[in-house]
Amino acid sequence: MAFFKKVRNTINLLKSVDMDQLAKINSKIDLAEAMKTLGTLDDRQLAGLMKMLKTKRRKGQHDLPPIDGDFYNLDLRLTKEQREIQLKVRNFMEDEINPLVNEYWKKDQFPFEVIEKFRDLNIVGVPYEGYGCPNLPFLMEGIIAQEIARVDVSISTFFGVHSGLAMGSIYLCGSEEQKQEWLPKMQKMEKIGAFGLTEPNVGSGVAGGLETTCKFDGENWVLNGQKKWIGNATFSDVTIIWARDLDSNQVKGFLVRKENPGFETEKIRDKMALRIVQNAIITLTDCKVPESDRLQNANSFKDTANVLRMTRAGVAWQAVGCARGAYESALKYTKKREQFGRPIASFQLVQNHLVEMLSNLTSMQTLCFRLSELQDQDLLKDEHASLAKVYCSMRMRDVVSQAREVLGGNGILLEYDVARFVADAEAIYSYEGTKEINSLIVGRAITGYSAFVS
């Protein structure tokens, strides 16, 4: 009876076996040897082998969770219209910008063809009222900064300099005539702006140490000095120049047009970060600017600081976008990259890295969301923006570092994007106030003592 049972089982087994597939396998491995090896395995080993084989067959990713860096669903707090803008920007960045950024980043060039494409989005000057601007909450400016930086930090920096620093200076400090002349054209990106504050010898100490000077000669303001790291300046139509008045010792702002005599730019080369951004050294040699091009409401560094306060929140959001881009790129990679017969996303140590990255990213997102709410409620203070810049830039560094780690050797290749995020994060970490300067701003607010050296 036992013999016939074995025969019956063998016949049933043969019926279930694809003989063509069996022949194909036999051509690649020694089936007899494989059967001997399988016979030596215990139940636990066989179960593990079957699990591995099933994982291999499920190589397609359709049944895996979507890749989404918004773990706490903050997008649910947006209105329908705001969510539509967010997705419009995301789709634009993924479809139009993502395919070209690595090539331009590598060549240290700017893709001028994207400017016209940006016009159709109608997202320039988001929080400003009038002059063709959308007049949306500051929260949307932050969301947009995140979405752009999520694909490329360089393009986000170009956009932030133009829409935030340059337009913001005119919006906050310009006369009505100056606003009417520049803001509508800048909103449509018919004119591009730059912002000149940092100097070769003066970075963090600009509040009291500007070396660029201005003096009124009775007809024009005469500007002399240099600026450094000025994004967009190699091709901008107007650059906001901040200079110290030799007579009053106060900081004043000027609309310097690219055709102004005595205004020269030199592209900064050999950068390791933000290579798409066209940074320049600006040299002002007896550059004459008419009184009509002096920002009429910029009369001290306090006015400059108002611009920086307004835009610093956007830089914190940029850090969020950079971290999110790195995290999502790394997560996507770990689901596709296989070692030891299965995706590395299934390994404990890799999952630990991913969770730490997501934790940092989520804390950054929630902090910035509240920061923008304060800004929309007109409750934003210097220390609020500075704390966000400090925290988000530090955590961004952690995220991009771990993203590079889970990619292993591929983490240093441009084709996987993470290498670009790692490099560009270093620029965000430094600009719009270093960690140390912003920490002292927060420290002064919470202790009541200023630790700045005067």
Side-chain angles (χ1 to χ4, degrees), residues 209-328:
L210 278 185
E211 295 180 351
T212 299
T213 61
C214 61
K215 184 177 178 61
F216 192 63
D217 67 2
E219 293 184 10
N220 297 290
W221 289 89
V222 181
L223 278 59
N224 283 284
Q226 282 191 318
K227 299 294 181 179
K228 190 175 183 181
W229 301 114
I230 311 307
N232 304 353
T234 62
F235 60 90
S236 59
D237 297 286
V238 62
T239 301
I240 309 300
I241 295 292
W242 301 93
R244 179 173 54 86
D245 187 348
L246 288 173
D247 293 325
S248 67
N249 205 38
Q250 294 294 330
V251 173
K252 289 181 167 58
F254 298 88
L255 293 153
V256 181
R257 304 165 192 255
K258 63 181 180 182
E259 62 271 15
N260 271 48
F263 177 82
E264 295 183 359
T265 64
E266 177 187 354
K267 178 179 175 178
I268 298 175
R269 301 180 183 277
D270 302 324
K271 297 182 299 176
M272 65 160 276
L274 299 185
R275 290 174 56 80
I276 290 176
V277 177
Q278 303 300 288
N279 295 97
I281 294 176
I282 295 174
T283 301
L284 301 147
T285 307
D286 292 332
C287 180
K288 293 185 177 181
V289 180
E291 168 65 13
S292 59
D293 280 347
R294 180 180 69 83
L295 289 175
Q296 298 299 302
N297 297 311
N299 300 305
S300 72
F301 189 77
K302 288 183 179 180
D303 299 311
T304 317
N306 288 337
V307 178
L308 297 176
R309 182 190 309 113
M310 180 179 68
T311 58
R312 190 162 287 151
V315 176
W317 274 107
Q318 277 188 329
V320 174
C322 179
R324 182 169 180 175
Y327 164 75
E328 292 180 347

Side-chain angles (χ1 to χ4, degrees), residues 342-357:
R342 54 186 176 140
I344 64 172
S346 66
F347 297 162
Q348 292 180 355
L349 293 179
V350 171
Q351 289 190 4
N352 184 65
H353 280 307
L354 292 170
V355 172
E356 287 184 3
M357 292 161 66

Side-chain angles (χ1 to χ4, degrees), residues 45-272:
Q45 291 172 320
L46 283 170
L49 177 62
M50 289 304 298
K51 183 177 180 181
M52 184 184 73
L53 291 173
K54 288 180 179 179
T55 301
K56 188 71 176 177
R57 286 198 299 270
R58 292 176 61 248
K59 190 173 181 179
Q61 303 298 308
H62 62 279
D63 58 341
L64 296 179
I67 296 173
D68 185 2
D70 186 7
F71 196 65
Y72 276 11
N73 296 123
L74 291 173
D75 56 12
L76 296 179
R77 300 189 63 176
L78 302 177
T79 65
K80 179 182 177 182
E81 292 75 16
Q82 291 170 347
R83 178 63 170 162
E84 288 175 352
I85 294 173
Q86 180 189 25
L87 294 178
K88 180 174 68 172
V89 175
R90 179 177 300 178
N91 292 335
F92 169 79
M93 291 301 299
E94 291 179 349
D95 297 341
E96 301 290 342
I97 306 299
N98 191 53
L100 54 81
V101 288
N102 281 341
E103 188 62 29
Y104 278 92
W105 196 94
K106 183 168 58 178
K107 294 188 297 185
D108 187 22
Q109 295 177 1
F110 185 85
F112 289 101
E113 64 268 27
V114 307
I115 293 178
E116 187 171 346
K117 296 178 180 179
F118 259 110
R119 292 172 185 161
D120 298 333
L121 291 177
N122 191 33
I123 56 172
V124 180
V126 161
Y128 311 139
E129 182 177 359
Y131 316 103
C133 298
N135 191 25
L136 297 172
F138 280 101
L139 174 61
M140 280 312 301
E141 183 180 49
I143 295 293
I144 289 170
Q146 173 195 223
E147 290 298 331
I148 299 176
R150 173 180 169 268
V151 170
D152 184 62
V153 179
S154 289
I155 297 298
S156 179
T157 300
F158 152 74
F159 185 82
V161 168
H162 171 74
S163 179
L165 289 168
M167 288 183 68
S169 296
I170 299 172
Y171 185 78
L172 291 180
C173 303
S175 66
E176 184 59 32
E177 291 76 15
Q178 291 167 338
K179 294 177 186 180
Q180 293 289 353
E181 178 182 1
W182 288 104
L183 292 181
K185 294 176 182 177
M186 293 176 77
Q187 199 282 327
K188 296 177 183 177
M189 286 188 143
E190 295 172 357
K191 299 291 184 181
I192 300 298
F195 180 87
L197 179 61
T198 305
E199 300 179 348
N201 298 322
V202 184
S204 299
V206 292
L210 278 185
E211 295 180 351
T212 299
T213 61
C214 61
K215 184 177 178 61
F216 192 63
D217 67 2
E219 293 184 10
N220 297 290
W221 289 89
V222 181
L223 278 59
N224 283 284
Q226 282 191 318
K227 299 294 181 179
K228 190 175 183 181
W229 301 114
I230 311 307
N232 304 353
T234 62
F235 60 90
S236 59
D237 297 286
V238 62
T239 301
I240 309 300
I241 295 292
W242 301 93
R244 179 173 54 86
D245 187 348
L246 288 173
D247 293 325
S248 67
N249 205 38
Q250 294 294 330
V251 173
K252 289 181 167 58
F254 298 88
L255 293 153
V256 181
R257 304 165 192 255
K258 63 181 180 182
E259 62 271 15
N260 271 48
F263 177 82
E264 295 183 359
T265 64
E266 177 187 354
K267 178 179 175 178
I268 298 175
R269 301 180 183 277
D270 302 324
K271 297 182 299 176
M272 65 160 276

Side-chain angles (χ1 to χ4, degrees), residues 429-442:
Y429 185 73
S430 296
Y431 68 42
E432 281 271 8
T434 62
K435 171 185 176 293
E436 290 74 18
I437 289 297
N438 280 301
S439 294
L440 294 183
I441 292 174
V442 179

